[in-house]
Amino acid sequence: MLPNTGKLAGCTVFITGASRGIGKAIALKAAKDGANIVIAAKTAQAHPKLPGTIYTAAEEIKAAGGKALPCIVDVRDEEQISSAVEKAVEKFGGIDILVNNASAISLTNTLETPTKKVDLMMNVNTRGTYLTSKACIPYLKKSKVAHILNLSPPLNLNPLWFKQHCAYTIAKYGMSMCVLGMAEEFKGEIAVNALWPKTAIHTAAMDMLGGSGVESQCRKVDIMADAAYCIFKKPKSFTGNFIIDENILKEEGIKNFDVYAVTPGHPLLPDFFLDEQPAMVTKKADSYGAVPELKEEKTQPPPKARSGAVEETFRIVKDSLSDDIVKATQAVYQFELSGEDGGTWFLDLKSKGGNVGYGEPSDQADVVMSMSTDDFVKMFSGKLKPTMAFMSGKLKIKGNMALAIKLEKLMNQMNSKL
């Protein structure tokens, strides 16, 4: 862990989405130095599924040694942003650091993303970041510290990162393009950088996306807080960078990254937008700005001896079904499997007692999953994590993502039998 130096004592840090997760972790790290934290977030009353409000975060910040100003801010509302900035300047005398952390996510493809979700992601991620930056810049210009930090990824133009969740990628890349533009526009006055994690980070949002058991593949929010702290200590001349948490901490001399793991020694899930996964090796682009070409992984056809592996997997799944599982799941899954022993299969967890079989289900499927037979068997036997398969493009999902996540939880229960 990175020790505090006291450098942020008396600094005012304006953080969007600071009531929980990474935003709150950055706030607490700065608070230990004696910083003033403006908690600009939506949650004023406790959320049924997500812990924390702006007021509980404020109490934690005070306990850590900082001063806190909780402000109800939906970054889609320009007036709420302006009001929070005015209150911050009135209470603390200025703004030294802005962290654009508020973000909305929907990992759905083009046809499966409702317009309401598209608007939410564009308005929170890109527009919200732009407007909050615009409101804070006049005060940041007067600061000796003067940092804007957007929690957004490097601008990776590999098509893989667009094809599964185009709207989300556009919205996150909009935040990164703010870094590109504003770093140049305010060079010498304000440092503008982006920070992104190398691995998945365990937050309440990650639990909702990845389902139970995902935390063992994640690092704690502390790694992002320490990385952000490193950036805030840098001079204004350190600008226009797309920083990966682990890299900057290595530069600071951190060698033991196990302290950041939720489960030390457990394999970690790489985060989105970073081409470091075996299933997505890219050829180096020959010229600047060229879109990297994806190497197709040559999948070996499964040997003849395994031709009944899919059928056997479904037989074991069928034997594992119960009324309780059906009651808890309430979904019909369709599998489009390519390769030997492939074709269309279904898993009905809606009808009494549940059912599996070859062909299409009698009721319309809630979720359609497409993959190779080999990956299907690996997935149901626990050798391939569905989250990883989806992120690396081996698994395509159409339909209800929440129900797809329910199936992953079910697989975790069945793995011991497969």
Side-chain angles (χ1 to χ4, degrees):
M1 296 280 186
L2 193 77
N4 278 64
T5 62
K7 184 146 188 201
L8 300 184
C11 281
T12 299
V13 189
F14 190 107
I15 308 176
T16 65
S19 58
R20 62 177 71 93
I22 293 168
K24 188 178 82 174
I26 293 172
L28 291 171
K29 182 73 179 176
K32 283 176 189 166
D33 268 7
N36 310 316
I37 311 294
V38 185
I39 307 154
K42 274 193 318 182
T43 315
Q45 291 170 326
H47 187 283
K49 289 183 183 173
L50 299 169
T53 67
I54 57 174
Y55 305 112
T56 58
E59 290 308 313
E60 287 182 60
I61 285 159
K62 287 173 194 167
K67 289 179 182 168
L69 174 64
C71 297
I72 299 170
V73 176
D74 180 338
V75 294
R76 292 172 292 178
D77 186 326
E78 192 174 7
E79 281 182 21
Q80 287 185 17
I81 297 167
S82 300
S83 168
V85 169
E86 279 168 27
K87 282 179 193 165
V89 173
E90 195 180 312
K91 185 174 172 81
F92 299 126
I95 294 170
D96 299 292
I97 296 168
L98 164 64
V99 181
N100 285 305
N101 163 70
S103 202
I105 183 169
S106 179
L107 297 176
T108 43
N109 63 32
T110 302
L111 297 178
E112 302 296 330
T113 311
T115 305
K116 195 176 169 184
K117 280 273 168 72
V118 177
D119 290 344
L120 176 72
M121 289 189 282
M122 300 298 174
N123 289 339
V124 171
N125 303 3
T126 303
R127 184 176 178 271
T129 293
Y130 185 89
L131 292 181
T132 309
S133 301
K134 185 182 177 187
C136 290
I137 283 166
Y139 302 102
L140 289 165
K141 279 181 158 193
K142 296 173 189 173
S143 168
K144 286 177 184 170
V145 181
H147 271 271
I148 294 176
L149 183 64
N150 293 354
L151 296 196
S152 64
L155 288 163
N156 183 349
L157 295 182
N158 184 332
L160 181 86
W161 297 116
F162 290 82
K163 72 172 189 176
Q164 307 281 17
H165 36 75
C166 191
Y168 173 64
T169 300
I170 292 169
K172 281 311 278 187
Y173 280 16
M175 294 174 74
S176 300
M177 290 166 92
C178 285
V179 170
L180 210 58
M182 291 178 191
E184 202 62 30
E185 186 177 354
F186 302 105
K187 197 174 258 185
E189 293 180 288
I190 305 167
V192 188
N193 296 288
L195 175 63
W196 194 247
K198 184 175 181 177
T199 70
I201 301 292
H202 185 231
T203 60
M206 192 66 195
D207 276 338
M208 286 172 78
L209 282 170
S212 69
V214 77
E215 67 272 13
S216 62
Q217 303 169 70
C218 298
R219 281 178 173 160
K220 295 181 239 179
V221 288
D222 302 351
I223 190 166
M224 288 292 279
D226 282 3
Y229 188 78
C230 285
I231 295 163
F232 301 152
K233 291 192 298 172
K234 303 263 186 197
K236 292 178 188 179
S237 54
F238 182 80
T239 192
N241 301 290
F242 293 88
I243 300 140
I244 303 300
D245 58 356
E246 186 178 299
N247 298 352
I248 195 163
L249 289 170
K250 276 181 179 170
E251 286 170 21
E252 286 282 320
I254 300 284
K255 291 184 174 70
N256 177 18
F257 285 89
D258 261 0
V259 294
Y260 294 115
V262 172
T263 310
H266 196 284
L268 295 163
L269 194 61
D271 204 0
F272 288 77
F273 311 115
L274 306 175
D275 288 335
E276 291 182 23
Q277 297 165 37
M280 47 189 81
V281 180
T282 59
K283 288 178 182 174
K284 291 279 180 213
D286 293 329
S287 58
Y288 179 81
V291 177
E293 194 180 328
L294 273 181
K295 278 185 188 170
E296 286 296 322
E297 262 200 347
K298 289 181 182 169
T299 47
Q300 297 297 322
K304 292 274 184 195
R306 284 192 60 194
S307 63
V310 173
E311 198 167 349
E312 176 63 10
T313 300
F314 274 113
R315 187 190 65 73
I316 296 167
V317 170
K318 190 172 186 178
D319 291 345
S320 308
L321 296 182
S322 67
D323 284 334
D324 286 345
I325 287 173
V326 171
K327 199 174 173 184
T329 314
Q330 286 298 294
V332 177
Y333 301 92
Q334 186 172 319
F335 301 90
E336 296 295 340
L337 306 179
S338 56
E340 204 164 333
D341 197 25
T344 302
W345 296 77
F346 71 88
L347 170 58
D348 179 353
L349 298 177
K350 243 183 202 172
S351 310
K352 190 170 167 57
N355 196 16
V356 305
Y358 185 76
E360 293 193 7
S362 49
D363 288 335
Q364 191 179 350
D366 298 291
V367 182
V368 180
M369 297 183 166
S370 308
M371 71 197 93
S372 72
T373 51
D374 212 23
D375 287 335
F376 171 83
V377 174
K378 280 182 195 167
M379 205 163 79
F380 266 87
S381 59
K383 288 173 190 157
L384 175 66
K385 288 274 177 196
T387 317
M388 194 63 176
F390 176 73
M391 283 171 69
S392 62
K394 287 182 176 182
L395 165 64
K396 292 186 176 69
I397 299 174
K398 284 182 186 171
N400 188 318
M401 281 300 284
L403 293 176
I405 288 164
K406 268 194 180 181
L407 184 63
E408 177 162 8
K409 290 181 183 176
L410 195 62
M411 284 179 198
N412 291 337
Q413 293 167 25
M414 290 180 181
N415 284 347
S416 55
K417 298 176 185 176
L418 288 159

